[in-house]
Amino acid sequence: MRFYSKKTFQLDKTIINKILNLKESYWKFGIKSQRQFFLNNVKKEDIHNLLFINSRLIGYTLLKNMKIKRSDRLINYLHFDTFIIDEKYRSMNYSPKLMQFNNSIIKKKKSFSILLCENDMLEYYSKFNWVKINKKLIASIKKKKNYMIYNKQLRCKFYFISNS
């Protein structure tokens, strides 16, 4: 088992194809659609956390560099975007290992992270010290999902701005 954390510009075509195939195993939109989404939405400085067993990619997380407005300042944060474990490895305790790796990268970057999740995932992320954000503290919620934060105290309203 090996973990890697790489920025988009550090990924070669082989690794990108492994990421797209792993995502396609769960979100069945077609590889062409996965590739187009990747090209349109993933920026060169975004972070890809990869979990390999031998040469097989079995776990993946995308941490997107984004900005959030706090009072009158823009603050950089890592948006926890994609989290997936290969279906064949889901019952083998790799998911917690990848979450711990993700948290260590967030801390190493001296940043905080925000994710959106369904109700059934709240307990899972809470096990890794993610905290649910009160929806009243967030302006302009567009989706009926839960927001969670890791590695930062929430003291004021946040406004989602844009990708970096």
Side-chain angles (χ1 to χ4, degrees), residues 38-75:
F38 190 92
L39 292 172
N40 292 339
N41 295 288
V42 179
K43 308 297 183 213
K44 68 178 182 173
E45 293 293 325
D46 289 344
I47 300 167
H48 305 265
N49 291 335
L50 309 157
L51 170 56
F52 282 90
I53 292 185
N54 299 320
S55 62
R56 183 176 181 141
L57 179 65
I58 66 150
Y60 172 71
T61 304
L62 172 60
L63 298 173
K64 295 181 75 167
N65 287 293
M66 296 185 79
K67 295 181 187 294
I68 200 166
K69 187 172 184 179
R70 181 175 162 181
S71 301
D72 61 346
R73 299 183 310 151
L74 286 177
I75 298 171

Side-chain angles (χ1 to χ4, degrees), residues 70 73 75 111-113 131 149-154 158:
R70 181 175 162 181
R73 299 183 310 151
I75 298 171
S111 187
F112 66 101
S113 186
V131 178
I149 191 168
Y150 177 76
N151 203 29
K152 188 76 172 180
Q153 294 295 325
L154 186 65
F158 284 142

Side-chain angles (χ1 to χ4, degrees), residues 119-134:
N119 287 337
D120 62 343
M121 292 302 292
L122 286 170
E123 184 178 341
Y124 176 80
Y125 289 118
S126 294
K127 291 177 187 177
F128 301 97
N129 299 315
W130 287 76
V131 178
K132 184 177 177 185
I133 299 171
N134 185 335

Side-chain angles (χ1 to χ4, degrees), residues 7-163:
K7 293 187 177 183
T8 304
F9 73 87
Q10 297 172 309
L11 299 174
D12 62 30
K13 288 182 181 181
T14 302
I15 298 297
I16 292 172
N17 286 334
K18 288 181 181 199
I19 291 168
L20 300 179
N21 283 314
L22 181 59
K23 288 181 67 180
E24 178 61 19
S25 73
Y26 186 78
W27 295 286
K28 308 239 184 246
F29 297 112
I31 290 296
K32 186 176 179 181
S33 176
Q34 295 285 2
R35 184 175 314 285
Q36 195 61 46
F37 181 86
F38 190 92
L39 292 172
N40 292 339
N41 295 288
V42 179
K43 308 297 183 213
K44 68 178 182 173
E45 293 293 325
D46 289 344
I47 300 167
H48 305 265
N49 291 335
L50 309 157
L51 170 56
F52 282 90
I53 292 185
N54 299 320
S55 62
R56 183 176 181 141
L57 179 65
I58 66 150
Y60 172 71
T61 304
L62 172 60
L63 298 173
K64 295 181 75 167
N65 287 293
M66 296 185 79
K67 295 181 187 294
I68 200 166
K69 187 172 184 179
R70 181 175 162 181
S71 301
D72 61 346
R73 299 183 310 151
L74 286 177
I75 298 171
N76 294 324
Y77 80 99
L78 297 169
H79 180 76
F80 191 99
D81 187 89
T82 303
F83 179 73
I84 186 168
I85 299 290
D86 185 309
E87 189 174 16
K88 295 175 185 171
Y89 293 85
R90 288 189 189 153
S91 62
M92 299 181 182
N93 209 32
Y94 289 108
S95 175
K97 290 175 173 68
L98 182 55
M99 278 303 298
Q100 290 165 350
F101 182 72
N102 291 327
N103 287 356
S104 72
I105 295 300
I106 294 163
K107 283 182 179 178
K108 183 179 178 181
K109 299 292 181 185
K110 297 181 180 169
S111 187
F112 66 101
S113 186
I114 295 175
L115 62 77
L116 283 83
C117 68
E118 303 290 342
N119 287 337
D120 62 343
M121 292 302 292
L122 286 170
E123 184 178 341
Y124 176 80
Y125 289 118
S126 294
K127 291 177 187 177
F128 301 97
N129 299 315
W130 287 76
V131 178
K132 184 177 177 185
I133 299 171
N134 185 335
K135 288 184 180 184
K136 293 178 183 176
L137 297 175
I138 301 175
S140 308
I141 291 183
K142 297 177 183 175
K143 298 181 179 179
K144 293 183 179 182
K145 292 189 178 185
N146 301 291
Y147 286 80
M148 298 186 83
I149 191 168
Y150 177 76
N151 203 29
K152 188 76 172 180
Q153 294 295 325
L154 186 65
R155 295 198 172 114
C156 65
K157 287 186 179 182
F158 284 142
Y159 301 87
F160 288 97
I161 304 297
S162 65
N163 286 345

